[in-house]
Amino acid sequence: MGSSEVSIIPGLQKEEKAAVERRRLHVLKALKKLRIEADEAPVVAVLGSGGGLRAHIACLGVLSEMKEQGLLDAVTYLAGVSGSTWAISSLYTNDGDMEALEADLKHRFTRQEWDLAKSLQKTIQAARSENYSLTDFWAYMVISKQTRELPESHLSNMKKPVEEGTLPYPIFAAIDNDLQPSWQEARAPETWFEFTPHHAGFSALGAFVSITHFGSKFKKGRLVRTHPERDLTFLRGLWGSALGNTEVIREYIFDKHSSCFYSFADQLRNLTLKGLWRRAVANAKSIGHLIFDEGGEPEHTWLTEMLENWTRTSLEKQEQPHEDPERKGSLSNLMDFVKKTGICASKWEWGTTHNFLYKHGGIRDKIMSSRKHLHLVDAGLAINTPFPLVLPPTREVHLILSFDFSAGDPFETIRATTDYCRRHKIPFPQVEEAELDLWSKAPASCYILKGETGPVVMHFPLFNIDACGGDIEAWSDTYDTFKLADTYTLDVVVLLLALAKKNVRENKKKILRELMNVAGLYYPKDSARSCCLA
């Protein structure tokens, strides 16, 4: 769908349908290698949950081991939330070469390098956009440091292996933050927003725009102003922007520090050029201190230290920007960046992009068509695994491998999805709350959930008694969601990779058994049970 028009049609987009059809041939070959004969290829979806850097590394481990075991080639869809999207997107930027991808990961966390100058340049450049938000700052200055990556490629660059069927079809999840009240009240499906190498949009509405035009301006279904396709660094920041709807954080920061932001613009107007640079430095440091240092956690001081290193040039150079016209222009851009970041922080504005459904006559819901902008954030704020994007019957998924990288209750995603499906009459295995409570106290490495209709769900908690023994809490503490990349030494990274790989390897037989089941060769007599533990 390279059209400059908005597409509103039921079912799969034609590009996805063609890619999935081509993928079927590769899946059948993969099943044959696994000694599973089938006339038709079952549709298997692998889901990765959120969980920050822990999810990023663990998801890479899962994908690597699935590739090693010949299982990844039998998968039709890969879908992720938050940190898992960083791993899944890396698979495609490395052309599916898991060995190279794993080696690159280890290299990045061995050298502990981060290109501050380039990240800052990207952020300042992004601030020149009319839709600049905290997501831009988060993506280029925070997530890039976390992952030690600053990818400049685009989702559209992934088309070739996807269209040839050599890699699964990827789906990256976000939610429309403006629709959070609808989600809280009724678990509205239109809250979910998806990205693929071909399109971006609301799957519940069947409303999409070409991925190359995501962020461009539309009116009445027609393109009126083109903007460049956003790079993967920005999208990773958007997909992993869990702070975007954290009201507690917002209230904590701005109840105590609102004057730091609201007075910022007034201060700028009263400064001479000579004092402008110093004011920029002071305010940038203030932003770093209040967001990252107030919690009292030593590992959150990195941004302030970064800003201090950034400004370690001589006072003479800082105070004489007027001597260099080019520097003067750079200073102007810098001040625009600091000013805009302060304004966005005061409003806690995340994920701002043009609404491609603005004034679209084919959309009955006025909430969807009356807004000039969307505000897209981390889908983990709704459900921390992208079940809602693979459960629609149009995708015909038969088997779901759900890898949960949560540090907390690994069954919260199952609870939330069960509630979502019950409200919207979507087939999904039903599990009693008491049983989920029991499992969560000492989770095993694999659970097989079956209903009378709908897909079979295999759920794999990362931290489980099979792999971690009685040390689940210690593992969770070591890989806490809010620990930053500087605490991830090579040994810590390798241990997490090994744990994620082990969970796949130890459950390969169970995965093969369920693949055989959905391929139609073997259906056990007790398959009608609502749920069974394996």
Side-chain angles (χ1 to χ4, degrees), residues 46 62 88 351 376 378 422:
V46 169
V62 166
I88 294 171
L376 304 176
D378 193 321
R422 177 184 56 79

Side-chain angles (χ1 to χ4, degrees), residues 410-471:
F411 300 101
E412 183 55 38
T413 54
I414 298 297
R415 288 187 180 88
T417 304
T418 299
D419 178 47
Y420 172 82
C421 291
R422 177 184 56 79
R423 290 171 182 255
H424 301 290
K425 296 181 172 55
I426 299 172
F428 190 78
Q430 299 296 305
V431 187
E432 294 295 329
E433 180 66 29
E435 197 161 16
L436 289 173
D437 287 340
L438 181 64
W439 293 350
S440 64
K441 292 178 181 177
S445 61
C446 177
Y447 294 81
I448 302 173
L449 314 178
K450 297 181 180 181
E452 294 182 3
T453 59
V456 174
V457 176
M458 300 186 73
H459 192 65
F460 305 88
L462 173 63
F463 300 131
N464 57 78
I465 57 173
D466 300 325
C468 305
D471 297 325

Side-chain angles (χ1 to χ4, degrees), residues 31-201:
L31 291 176
K32 191 170 184 178
K33 289 181 180 179
L34 294 169
R35 299 181 179 180
I36 299 175
E37 296 291 339
D39 295 326
E40 294 290 335
V43 177
V44 179
V46 169
L47 310 188
S49 80
L53 197 54
R54 176 187 60 250
H56 172 51
I57 296 170
C59 188
L60 283 176
V62 166
L63 296 176
S64 181
E65 190 63 24
M66 289 194 71
K67 182 73 172 178
E68 177 69 21
Q69 299 294 334
L71 297 170
L72 190 60
D73 291 331
V75 173
T76 301
Y77 286 105
L78 278 180
V81 163
S82 197
S84 286
T85 65
W86 309 343
I88 294 171
S89 58
S90 294
L91 174 69
Y92 295 85
T93 57
N94 284 269
D95 298 320
D97 188 340
M98 290 306 308
E99 288 186 11
L101 183 55
E102 193 172 326
D104 178 64
L105 175 73
K106 293 176 181 178
H107 173 77
R108 283 185 276 121
F109 283 88
T110 299
R111 302 189 67 176
Q112 294 283 323
E113 292 180 348
W114 177 51
D115 192 337
L116 166 61
K118 191 172 183 180
S119 291
L120 182 61
Q121 180 185 26
K122 284 282 192 180
T123 314
I124 293 173
Q125 182 180 352
R128 299 170 66 181
S129 166
E130 62 180 302
N131 288 334
Y132 177 77
S133 72
L134 290 180
T135 300
D136 295 272
F137 180 88
W138 183 255
Y140 295 112
M141 298 298 287
V142 180
I143 300 302
S144 71
K145 179 175 173 62
Q146 281 288 80
T147 62
R148 301 289 193 264
E149 289 183 291
L150 198 67
E152 297 180 346
S153 59
H154 304 92
L155 269 182
S156 61
N157 298 143
M158 301 178 185
K159 286 181 181 179
K160 187 174 185 293
V162 168
E163 291 175 349
E164 291 175 348
T166 56
L167 289 176
Y169 199 83
I171 306 171
F172 306 92
I175 60 169
D176 186 341
N177 203 26
D178 297 331
L179 300 184
Q180 272 283 14
S182 297
W183 176 260
Q184 296 299 330
E185 181 182 347
R187 298 295 185 262
E190 59 267 23
T191 307
W192 285 75
F193 194 96
E194 69 178 46
F195 297 81
T196 79
H198 294 106
H199 63 255

